[in-house]
């Protein structure tokens, strides 16, 4: 069973799993990983104890891991707390779905939730299974490092700074220990050391073994040196360590080269703050704005990939703030605006925040440190400093557009449409048709935006709910818009932005904070529950302006407010500029790589629009569905049925070949020239088939079968071992005598008929089963070991035949080359 190697494989896996620590907020996951490793090791030991074939040995750890997961996560639904039931399996499936949803919603580190713990348990358990199979069962410890390395690749691919050197060193030490244990067992398997007389003469004394301590010390030094080089060398290579060996600029974040800014997922931070029961103060600010201040924006998410909203900022050296002034706000050229000065103080507890929360649109920022600005979105960020604990002053232009200004701002350039109305093809067409239906009768993008906001906040039947998950697929978005209608600001902002893009209105999603609450005249306080997401729509002359689809008041986020320009009664044109000549909705245009954007051609109430909506696609249920489970269950059933099916086919083929009549003249061993004369082929073949079936049944039930035994010796051993009754003992003797007659007897001694031998084999099969344990009986039915033995023998025979054919081919080719060389004329001097 190789207990020592099993323990070392488990320790190596556990040491390698330490490298996963950057992916999780807490440390509870490690104890679940420890339990998974122990369960897999126990399952592997049991599988080897039962002598399960190597190809099926992973079933033991898999079953043990399933029992462990049932005991830890769904014990209340299981039989006696550990035996899986349909209800417990459904619970595990739901937890896996929740864990996958959390992993998709959150950037590393993810919250310490039960679904995440289950995913970690399954993942580490799978790695432990592969490591045990390679290092222990197949005795290939070196390739076992590949699954261990796979665990390091996950945090290295997700996090910019990879894995801590100490975690890497522990994992490397575990792998080296596994290699040393494997080498020790391999050398120990050679037997005792043999010492020559010369060694005794050169090493006199009482020592009975050579001193190998210096050699072992050298090996350990080589291993430690290799690990140290692997840890320290990358720090000196430019571009690998973000700040060089000593934290200098190098070519990393502080350098002048362009690089992509990476931060935690804004939606992740938003969800954490909204659900955090602490709800502490995240920032305070003072403003000279005469009216209640506007929202404080952190991120502008302008890319939608079909599942989530993201952004990408390519930072350049010229983006550094030198004189603290920022580029002009895009599009804010006609609408009136007011200059506002805000002094912000960010809490020290707001860690890893590299973007500044500011009222839009900022025009000037005064802050210490190295900060940069993304000109298209006016996001201000730093590559090395954090906003936590910082105080800064920002001057911004607060746009004050009237409904008339927005009515007249519905003309867009082709670049604006291609970039900010792009939607991937994965977005269901039902979202487009729903957007057209909700905004029916609208003549301008502004009227469509107002109707969309009103539908979310008033007429659509939506409710604010922090307990729902984030939509992960297009079908989930459709369910949110048409069935569930429950969510928080993230869902409302994302859905309205998608629907606006479906109508051809440039849109993006912003993440930051609402205005918070006033604590004194001109001084405001923002808490974690004020974290918010909202859509921003673009109108020529006013630029990017916010809308508020999230329900407010007692049924929603209390600090969310609808801007005054969005309350014009669906674009009636009251107040502001003249609206007698509104701009029509933009026509459809194709985004690069996506489907056509804009929705005018789906409208039958617009002048000149004669198109009709496309047929509604079939609605797909949310969640993972049952197809993967059905496919996995079918595959498992096929794997379990493979070995019994092969055993049954082998038995049937063996008896069919023995019972069918000979196609030609009856010739059987011994041949016609043998002095014993010819024997009917069917009788001899039936005897050999019965003997082989007896051997296969014995191997299946765990009864040893030495290949060097004669039939009579086998009869004596099996009779003593099994304690056979009279019918079984008689059947065994007839089978053995038939095999002896088929091998050695003259022609007048013909073996018994095939039907009698077949019945004797069934009798002996029952005798094997009655003397075996229940486990051995089930193993003989589900995992017959004889199939592996026969496959091994067939492979050996095929290998020998291949070697003979190859040898003959090489010999023929060599003779041919020799003859060709003999025919060629020799070159004379």
């Amino acid at each position: 069973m190789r207990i020592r190697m099993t323990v070392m494989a488990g320790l190596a896996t556990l040491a390698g799993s330490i490298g996963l620590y950057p992916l999780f907020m807490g440390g509870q996951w490690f104890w679940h990983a420890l339990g998974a490793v122990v369960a897999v090791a126990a399952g592997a030991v049991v599988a080897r104890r039962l002598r399960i074939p190597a190809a099926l040995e992973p079933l033991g750890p898999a079953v043990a891991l399933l029992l462990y997961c049932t005991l830890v996560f769904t014990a209340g639904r299981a039989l006696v707390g550990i035996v899986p039931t349909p209800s417990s399996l459904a619970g595990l499936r739901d937890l896996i779905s929740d864990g996958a949803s959390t992993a998709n919603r959150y950037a590393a580190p993810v919250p310490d939730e039960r679904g995440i713990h289950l995913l970690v348990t399954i993942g580490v358990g799978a790695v432990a299974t592969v490591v045990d199979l390679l290092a222990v069962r197949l005795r290939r410890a070196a390739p076992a490092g590949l699954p261990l390395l796979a665990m390091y690749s996950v945090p290295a691919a997700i996090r910019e700074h990879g894995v801590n050197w100490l975690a890497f060193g522990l994992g490397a030490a575990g792998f080296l220990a596994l290699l040393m244990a494997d080498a020790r067992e391999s050398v120990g398997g050679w037997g005792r050391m043999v010492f020559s007389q010369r060694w005794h003469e050169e090493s006199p004394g009482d020592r009975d073994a050579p001193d190998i301590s210096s050699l072992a010390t050298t090996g350990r030094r080589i291993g430690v040196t290799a690990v140290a080089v692997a840890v320290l060398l990358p720090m000196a290579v430019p571009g690998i360590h973000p700040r060089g060996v000593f934290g200098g600029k190098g070519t990393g974040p502080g350098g002048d080269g362009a690089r992509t800014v990476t931060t935690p997922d804004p939606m992740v931070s938003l969800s954490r703050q909204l659900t955090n029961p602490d709800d502490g103060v995240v920032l305070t600010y003072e403003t000279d704005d005469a009216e209640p201040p506007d929202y404080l924006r952190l991120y502008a998410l302008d890319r939608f990939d079909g599942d989530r909203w993201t952004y990408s900022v390519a930072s350049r050296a010229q983006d550094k703030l030198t004189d603290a002034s920022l580029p002009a706000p895009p599009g804010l050229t006609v609408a009136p605006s007011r200059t506002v000065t805000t002094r912000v103080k960010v809490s020290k507890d707001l860690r890893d925040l590299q973007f500044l929360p500011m009222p839009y649109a900022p025009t000037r920022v005064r802050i210490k440190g190295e900060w940069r600005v993304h000109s298209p979105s006016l996001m201000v960020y730093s590559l090395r400093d954090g906003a936590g604990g910082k105080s800064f002053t920002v001057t911004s232009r607060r746009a004050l557009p009237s409904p008339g200004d927005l009515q007249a701002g519905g003309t867009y350039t082709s670049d604006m449409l291609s970039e900010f109305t792009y939607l991937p093809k994965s977005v269901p067409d039902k979202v487009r048709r729903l957007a057209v239906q909700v905004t029916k009768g609208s003549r301008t993008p502004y009227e469509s935006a107002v109707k969309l906001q009103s539908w979310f906040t008033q007429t659509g039947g939506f409710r604010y709910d922090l307990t729902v998950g984030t939509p992960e697929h297009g079908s989930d978005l459709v369910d949110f818009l048409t069935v569930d209608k429950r969510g928080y600001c993230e869902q409302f902002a994302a859905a309205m932005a998608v629907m606006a893009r479906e109508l051809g209105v440039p849109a993006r999603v912003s993440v930051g904070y609402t205005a918070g609450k006033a604590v004194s005249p001109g001084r405001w306080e923002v808490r974690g529950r004020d974290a918010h997401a909202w859509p921003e729509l673009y109108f020529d002359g006013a630029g990017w302006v916010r809308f508020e689809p999230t329900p407010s008041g007692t049924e929603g986020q209390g600090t969310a407010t609808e801007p005054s320009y969005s309350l014009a009664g669906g674009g009636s044109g009251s107040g502001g500029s003249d609206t007698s000549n509104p701009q029509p909705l933009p026509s459809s245009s194709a985004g690069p790589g996506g489907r056509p954007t804009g929705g005018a051609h789906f409208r039958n109430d617009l002048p000149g629009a004669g198109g009709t909506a496309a047929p509604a696609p079939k609605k797909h249920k949310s969640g993972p569905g049952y197809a993967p489970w059905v496919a996995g269950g079918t595959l498992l059933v096929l794997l379990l049925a493979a070995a019994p099916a092969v055993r049954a086919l082998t038995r049937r083929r063996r008896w069919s070949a023995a019972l069918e009549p000979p196609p030609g003249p009856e010739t059987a061993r011994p041949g016609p020239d043998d002095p014993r004369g010819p024997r009917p082929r069917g009788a001899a073949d039936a005897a050999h088939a019965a003997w082989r079936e007896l051997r296969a049944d014995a191997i299946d039930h765990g009864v040893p079968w030495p290949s060097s035994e004669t039939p009579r010796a086998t009869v004596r051993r099996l009779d003593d071992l099994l304690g056979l009754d009279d019918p079984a003992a008689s059947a065994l003797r007839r089978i053995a005598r038939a095999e002896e007659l088929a091998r050695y007897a003259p022609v007048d001694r013909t073996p018994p008929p095939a039907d009698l031998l077949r019945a004797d084999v069934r009798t002996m099969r029952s005798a094997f089963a009655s003397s075996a344990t229940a486990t051995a009986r089930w193993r003989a039915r589900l995992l017959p070991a004889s199939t592996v033995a026969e496959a091994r023998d067939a492979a050996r025979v095929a290998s020998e035949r291949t070697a003979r054919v190859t040898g003959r081919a090489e010999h023929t080719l060599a003779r041919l080359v020799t003859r060709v060389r003999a025919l060629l004329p020799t070159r004379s001097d």
Side-chain angles (χ1 to χ4, degrees), residues 538-577:
Y538 184 87
F539 298 91
D540 189 34
W544 292 99
V545 296
R546 75 172 177 90
F547 284 78
E548 187 50 81
T550 304
S552 59
T554 58
E555 296 183 355
Q557 191 160 346
T559 54
T561 59
E562 297 172 296
S564 59
Y565 51 76
S566 67
L567 303 174
S572 61
S574 60
S577 303

Side-chain angles (χ1 to χ4, degrees), residues 83-158:
V83 180
T85 62
S87 178
S88 68
L89 293 177
L92 293 177
R93 182 197 63 196
D94 294 339
L95 282 178
I96 291 175
S97 178
D98 294 342
S101 176
T102 301
N104 290 330
R105 289 175 53 198
Y106 290 86
V110 298
D112 230 12
E113 298 179 356
R114 286 175 57 81
I116 294 295
H117 294 164
L118 179 56
L119 291 181
V120 173
T121 302
I122 296 175
V124 175
V127 173
T129 301
V130 177
V131 172
D132 185 89
L133 178 65
L134 292 173
V136 184
R137 183 63 175 85
L138 303 180
R139 299 177 183 267
R140 297 292 186 271
L146 294 178
L148 298 177
L149 183 62
M151 288 195 292
Y152 283 100
S153 66
V154 177
I158 294 177

Side-chain angles (χ1 to χ4, degrees), residues 230-385:
V231 172
L232 299 177
L233 184 60
M235 300 178 64
V237 178
I240 295 182
H241 195 275
R243 297 188 181 180
V245 181
F246 304 104
K249 291 184 177 182
T251 59
D256 295 335
R259 65 183 297 266
T260 301
V261 181
T262 57
T263 62
D265 191 334
M267 294 301 186
V268 173
S269 303
L270 170 66
S271 178
R272 288 177 184 171
Q273 295 189 67
L274 289 176
T275 57
N276 187 358
D278 184 20
D279 193 27
V281 176
V282 295
L283 62 90
T284 58
Y285 65 93
E286 298 178 356
T287 179
D288 60 1
D289 199 349
E291 299 181 4
D294 207 354
Y295 292 175
L296 304 174
R297 192 198 65 172
L298 280 167
Y299 311 100
L301 314 181
D302 55 2
R303 295 187 177 185
F304 184 66
D305 60 6
D307 296 332
R308 64 180 64 188
W309 285 87
T310 59
Y311 73 95
S312 179
V313 176
S315 182
R316 304 167 302 172
Q318 52 266 39
D319 294 335
K320 292 182 180 179
L321 296 180
T322 54
D323 58 355
S325 61
L326 307 181
L332 183 53
T333 56
V334 177
S337 62
R338 180 171 63 246
T339 301
V340 177
T341 301
T342 308
R343 290 171 292 279
V344 184
K345 183 177 182 180
V346 183
S347 171
K348 295 180 180 180
D349 297 331
L350 210 60
R351 301 176 180 176
D352 299 328
L353 183 63
Q354 296 175 284
F355 284 65
L356 296 183
M358 301 180 299
Y360 188 80
T363 58
R364 188 178 181 86
V365 178
R366 291 185 293 275
I367 184 174
K368 295 181 179 179
E370 182 186 292
W371 295 84
R372 305 188 180 197
V373 59
H374 182 239
S375 299
S377 63
L378 296 181
M379 293 187 293
V380 177
Y381 61 92
S382 176
L383 296 175
R384 44 170 76 195
D385 294 325

Side-chain angles (χ1 to χ4, degrees), residues 477-512:
L477 175 61
V478 174
D479 287 342
F480 166 72
L481 293 173
T482 59
V483 181
D484 296 334
K485 295 191 174 184
R486 295 181 301 111
Y488 55 97
C489 56
E490 176 183 349
Q491 287 89 341
F492 289 106
M496 181 172 173
V498 171
M499 296 178 75
R501 288 195 172 191
E502 290 282 15
L503 297 171
V505 183
R508 66 188 185 187
V509 174
S510 291
V511 180

Side-chain angles (χ1 to χ4, degrees), residues 709-733:
E709 272 188 340
T710 64
R712 294 189 182 184
T714 302
V715 169
R716 290 193 297 270
R717 181 176 58 83
L718 293 182
D719 196 1
D720 295 339
L721 180 64
L722 303 178
L724 300 176
D725 55 11
D726 291 340
S730 299
L732 177 60
R733 285 193 292 270

